[in-house]
Structure formats: C-alpha cells, structure tokens
Amino acid sequence: MIKDTIVNGCDNAPHRSLYNALGLTEEELQKPLIGIVCSYNEIVPGHMNLDKIAQAVKLGVALAGGTPIMFPAIAVCDGIAMGHEGMKYSLVTRDLIADSTEAMVKAHGFDGLVMIPNCDKNVPGLLMASARLNIPTVFVSGGPMLAGRVGGKKTSLSSMFEAVGAYHAGKIDDAKLNEFECKTCPSCGSCSGMYTANSMNCLTEVLGMGLSGNGTIPAPYSARIQLAKHAGMQVMELVKKNIRPRDIMTASAIRNAITADMALGCSTNSMLHLPAIANECGVKFDLEEVNAISEKTPNLCHLAPAGPTYMEDLNEAGGVYAVLKEISKLGLLDTSVMTCTGKTMAENIANAEILDDTVIRRVSNPYSKTGGIAVLKGNLAPDGCVVKRAAVAPEMLVHEGPAKVYESEEEAIAAIHGGKIVAGDVVVIRYEGPAGGPGMREMLNPTSAIQGMGLGSSVALITDGRFSGATRGASIGHCSPEAVSGGPIAYVKDGDIISINIPEYRIELKVSDEEMQKRRAEMPIKKKENISGYLKRYAAMVSSADKGAILNY
C-alpha cells in the first residue's frame, strides 16, 4: 500500500507535513489513496458535468473506505476544433493525457484510480495511462448527450454539419440553419450518435474497464450519478483483490473489443485507439485481423450517423451488455475474460437482454452479415486504410472514378462549396496524416459538405487524415503510408482513376508501376514549414496511422 512507502514512518514526516497542508487527517492517510483523474472543464460540452461525476465518485470511494484525491486531465472538443488549425491539437492530446496522468500518479503515488473521461481522446488516453501504470482502475464517463429534435426528427452533431452543406447548396435557408443550430445539441454530454467518444466509452465496457451503462446512460440522467458512486465503490474492491488493468485488458479482451466494434458500428477512430491501447498493454494488434473478425461479425446497430437511432435509444434497448449477449450466441467472444466488476464477462452479461430489436437487431436479422468497419489495401494504401462500412450507401460499396486532388482540408472544402466536385468523383485530401498534418485532422467538414449537397451516394473521399465518428458515406481515412512519408497517395494526380471495392477490401490507383516510379522521381514530398512547439515534437515522433499513430520514444 502507498501508505507504507510514502505516508508511514519517520522518514516520511516531510510527506505527511504536505498532506497536512492539504487538510488530510491521519485517519484518511491510513486508508487506500484513490486518485480521481477528472477531465472536467468549461469549454467541452461532454465535460461540463464531470465535476458532478467526480463528486459522486469521491462519495463512492469514501463510502467503501478509501480516501479520494482528485487531479485533472485536459480535453479538446473536436466539434469546436473542427475545420481549423485547432483540429491539429486533437489527436495529439491523447498522448499528452496519457503522459501527464502517468507523471501525476508516479510522482504522488496512489493505491487505485478512477478515470473520468468523456470525449474522443480522453478515453483512449486514460486507457493507455491505466495500462502503463497498472494499478487497480475503474472508468466512468460523463455519458452521451441527448439527441436534438428538428422538424419532429431526432438529430445530432452530424446533422448540424450536414445542414451547413445543405445551406451552401441552397437547399435550406437561414431560418432552417438557425433552427438546427439552436436545437441540435440540447444537453451536456458527448455528442449523441455513435461517434468516437461514445464508441470508446462503449468499448471501455467491452474491454472490462467500465461498469455496465458506462457508454450509454445519458449525461443528464440521475442514473449516471449512481453509476459514478458505484465506480467509486468498485475501485475499492479491485484494490482489495489487486485486480489490475493488464489483468483485464488482455489479448482476448482486445479481440472482444474489435468484435463488439463491428457489431455496434463504431467510429473508424477506434482503429487508431485500440492499437495504441494494445501497445500499452503489451498486446500485438494486427490490422490484418480486423477484416477476419469483421467477416464473422454481424453489424447489429445503425446509430447516427449510420442510421436514425441514438445513444439514448441504445441505452433503452439494453445497452452494450445486450449487444455482447447477442453476439456471444455466435461464439465470437471470449467471455471468460476478467472485468472491473471482479467477475467475468460471461457473468456480467448473463441476464442481459435486447429490449428493442429495432435498435439492436438479432443475429438472425443483422443490418449486414459483416462488421461495421473495413480495412482496405492495395497499391494506393499498401499498409491499409479504414472505412466505416456501416455508414456507406449501398451503391458506394463498389465505386470507380476520377481523382480530384487537394493538398489540405481547406483546399478541398473550397472546391466542394465552389461546386467543383461532381457525381462520380473521388476526392483525395493528402498531407493531413499524423506527421504530415501534423496531428491527423478529422475531415468532418468536407464529408458533411458532400452529404449536405446531395453527393453522398455518388462521391468518395480518401485521405491520409482521419474522420470524425460523425462522418458517413464512402469516406476512407488513415491511408498508409501517409503522403509525407512517401506513400502512394503523395503521387496521385487529378484525373487518375481510383477503384474502391469495400466488400473485397481493395483500393487501387489505376496507374502503372512505371508511371508511379517516374512520379516519385519528379514530384517532391511537401513537408510543412513553420511547425513549432508540441506539434513539431509530435511530428518527429509519431508513427503511421496503421500503427495507431503511437509515439516512437
């Protein structure tokens, strides 16, 4: 226990004097010290309620005989950062969060941790930290936002971005755009569709690091406060039993997460975050295995942006455990894995059931027989690229068309809004990868513009950057190797024919090897100048997207 190495004994009197300065009593110091890592702030809607979650966690810890001590983690709102330089600082915070949490825990010493993230990078960043630190840990998120309502229909942030595209296309007027603006995001919480934040919070349940409901109980619900109290209580059980993150996040648990990802129809960003988490757990993540799992796993959920249901609907339909119970019928999960409940997955899901099979379909009636994500390979992406297959229009699963090439997101947006993209085109946005961006910006603006202008069923988009979980359509990201590393995407020219075949996991640039060799000699790599600060260090250290954009130390 930490008290034996930091608190007790005459040599630790200086430490105790500083604990006295904190107002801690001798009685508190003799109990297990539990770090509460909370990413509360007043700029991210998904985090504005985390102060209440933290207070509930602290009560739970105290009720179970521990001493809770809170410290912060940072957070970036991807929606607010979208479409400008700020998005370069989104993915990079994942490593800042992991590193700063490691520093705080190692410097001060704790017997256990409760992690309180909610949005896109906080969840994987803290999962990475928990694996690295490997002391008893429970996660409890702030919960998803309630869906908005416009014209009697539920909406989410993707609807808002697509409304901007519709506005530019002259399909809606100022008044309608303002209605979307005022009604799309009606509460605190992580945005209401199966976007990255909610994907990762759901997968935290699957990995065994969060209690049931972690991914789905809406942020405004009182049940979220109760869940937080139970998380505080449960970490004390893990401390007593010495159950640690690497006992939970095993190779089998990672495979379970990939499988559940396919069934739930999660964000493509999970294909960046799961490899990074696996890396911290000492587990090999093979991108090739993703398609093998996808081939066997039916897609059971079509939450926004893929369909008309939302996180609140998934919660009412039985939540993540109901999905796990259903796909376990096919023998696709290792349910013997340990979880933070102190029980196996099999024990956790034993009484789960689907309460609404229009939200969670049965394995006998899936949306598709294959999973929600596909990894494509070919001469354009020798190391792979990723698409959210569940959110692609059927007519775009196989597509061939001429490339329209842009060197940045801004160039592409100007072309789309300027009417330069037509049906059949394949938009290529390059130099937006982990190192080339740097920071691998999400491309929600161009994908939403394409959808809002009515081109979603006829135009594809390929990038070495990435997409928001709110993106839908034939949007193919993580193209590896990236352009700045000399990947083939750097040598695509306007008019080149690109062939996409998602069912066969293929993507091809119809240019001869001889022509590509010539282009490599003639077309210089365009490295961005004037990069400074953290982004400069990040660009120098980050790996490619197929490796999870992890930092090479």
Side-chain angles (χ1 to χ4, degrees):
M1 300 294 286
I2 293 300
K3 65 176 180 287
D4 297 324
T5 56
I6 294 180
V7 175
N8 292 342
C10 62
D11 290 341
N12 289 323
H15 302 77
R16 290 195 298 276
S17 72
L18 293 168
Y19 284 127
N20 288 337
L22 290 170
L24 292 175
T25 66
E26 183 178 345
E27 292 82 0
E28 286 175 300
L29 292 177
Q30 292 307 308
K31 296 176 180 179
L33 299 182
I34 306 299
I36 314 298
V37 188
C38 181
S39 55
Y40 165 77
N41 61 54
E42 295 181 341
I43 189 62
V44 183
H47 293 233
M48 62 181 285
N49 66 323
L50 296 192
D51 55 339
K52 295 178 178 61
I53 299 295
Q55 289 304 314
V57 168
K58 291 172 74 174
L59 280 172
V61 169
L63 281 169
T67 298
I69 302 175
M70 185 172 68
F71 63 88
I74 63 168
V76 164
C77 177
D78 280 17
I80 293 175
M82 195 71 65
H84 58 90
E85 185 184 22
M87 180 46 71
K88 293 183 179 182
Y89 288 87
S90 172
L91 179 60
V92 305
T93 64
R94 186 185 70 183
D95 297 277
L96 283 174
I97 291 161
D99 292 348
S100 60
T101 301
E102 175 193 1
M104 287 294 288
V105 174
K106 289 290 189 182
H108 301 104
F110 292 96
D111 295 301
L113 298 167
V114 179
M115 305 292 201
I116 310 176
N118 208 25
C119 289
D120 299 39
K121 309 311 161 306
N122 301 79
V123 185
L126 290 178
L127 283 166
M128 290 162 66
S130 69
R132 195 182 297 176
L133 293 161
N134 202 35
I135 61 175
T137 303
V138 176
F139 276 67
V140 57
S141 76
M145 183 184 291
L146 294 171
R149 290 182 183 273
V150 175
K153 294 182 179 180
K154 288 185 178 181
T155 60
S156 59
L157 188 64
S158 53
S159 312
M160 181 70 252
F161 276 91
E162 289 178 17
V164 174
Y167 178 81
H168 279 288
K171 295 186 175 184
I172 62 173
D173 59 15
D174 290 285
K176 194 65 176 180
L177 184 65
N178 182 254
E179 184 182 3
F180 271 97
E181 182 180 333
C182 294
K183 295 180 178 179
T184 293
C185 299
S187 75
C188 63
S190 49
C191 297
S192 56
M194 187 55 84
Y195 309 152
T196 306
N198 293 325
S199 294
M200 294 310 301
N201 281 323
C202 288
L203 294 182
T204 298
E205 288 190 50
V206 184
L207 286 168
M209 294 297 292
L211 302 178
S212 177
N214 178 69
T216 60
I217 297 172
Y221 284 15
S222 297
R224 177 61 58 177
I225 300 296
Q226 294 171 323
L227 181 71
K229 292 176 182 176
H230 284 131
M233 296 177 201
Q234 187 56 32
V235 76
M236 296 303 297
E237 288 298 311
L238 297 185
V239 170
K240 289 175 188 174
K241 296 176 181 177
N242 197 29
I243 298 174
R244 299 167 180 251
R246 285 185 224 158
D247 300 326
I248 294 170
M249 291 191 289
T250 60
S252 291
I254 298 290
R255 281 193 294 272
N256 285 344
I258 299 171
T259 302
D261 186 311
M262 297 300 168
L264 286 163
C266 291
S267 163
T268 52
N269 280 315
S270 63
M271 293 298 106
L272 286 175
H273 299 323
L274 287 176
I277 295 162
N279 178 66
E280 296 289 352
C281 295
V283 173
K284 186 177 185 298
F285 188 101
D286 187 354
L287 205 60
E288 295 285 348
E289 192 174 6
V290 171
N291 286 341
I293 291 173
S294 180
E295 280 295 316
K296 297 182 291 185
T297 308
N299 178 228
L300 305 182
C301 300
H302 262 195
L303 281 77
T309 53
Y310 296 80
M311 295 306 297
E312 62 198 58
D313 302 312
L314 179 60
N315 187 62
E316 295 300 321
V320 174
Y321 277 17
V323 176
L324 296 178
K325 179 70 171 293
E326 188 66 11
I327 58 177
S328 71
K329 294 175 181 178
L330 300 177
L332 299 176
L333 298 171
D334 179 351
T335 60
S336 69
V337 293
M338 178 52 61
T339 72
C340 70
T341 66
K343 301 176 182 178
T344 65
M345 178 188 284
E347 292 174 292
N348 288 343
I349 67 174
N351 297 319
E353 59 179 313
I354 295 174
L355 303 177
D356 184 345
D357 60 12
T358 67
V359 177
I360 305 171
R361 288 196 177 185
R362 310 283 175 177
V363 292
S364 59
N365 180 38
Y367 282 100
S368 64
K369 293 181 179 180
T370 52
I373 288 178
V375 175
L376 314 184
K377 285 193 174 183
N379 67 347
L380 183 56
D383 294 335
C385 54
V386 179
V387 62
K388 188 171 183 176
R389 171 167 47 188
V392 177
E395 56 268 40
M396 289 298 292
L397 290 171
V398 177
H399 179 77
E400 186 170 292
K404 296 278 183 70
V405 184
Y406 303 97
E407 309 296 324
S408 69
E409 178 184 7
E410 287 83 359
E411 285 186 18
I413 280 286
I416 295 166
H417 287 165
K420 295 180 180 179
I421 305 302
V422 298
D425 284 345
V426 178
V427 177
V428 176
I429 306 176
R430 61 192 177 198
Y431 293 104
E432 292 284 6
M440 203 179 185
R441 288 193 288 181
E442 289 184 340
M443 303 287 167
L444 182 57
N445 276 353
T447 60
S448 296
I450 287 168
Q451 292 291 335
M453 298 178 81
L455 296 170
S457 60
S458 60
V459 169
L461 192 153
I462 298 169
T463 181
D464 54 5
R466 62 194 177 95
F467 296 112
S468 164
T471 287
R472 63 189 177 104
S475 303
I476 301 165
H478 309 192
C479 194
S480 301
E482 62 175 296
V484 79
S485 299
I489 193 172
Y491 305 106
V492 180
K493 291 186 176 182
D494 282 342
D496 287 348
I497 301 300
I498 295 175
S499 173
I500 300 162
N501 192 320
I502 296 172
E504 295 184 4
Y505 308 112
R506 298 294 299 170
I507 184 164
E508 298 290 340
L509 176 65
K510 295 200 166 182
V511 171
S512 69
D513 292 342
E514 293 76 17
E515 173 62 18
M516 285 298 286
Q517 189 173 357
K518 180 182 177 184
R519 291 183 187 183
R520 287 180 187 278
E522 295 175 350
M523 296 173 66
I525 296 297
K526 299 176 182 178
K527 293 189 176 181
K528 289 186 173 66
E529 305 294 334
N530 303 317
I531 302 171
S532 61
Y534 181 59
L535 287 183
K536 186 174 183 178
R537 280 179 282 145
Y538 184 86
M541 299 172 70
V542 70
S543 74
S544 61
D546 63 295
K547 302 292 192 299
I550 60 174
L551 296 186
N552 296 311
Y553 295 104

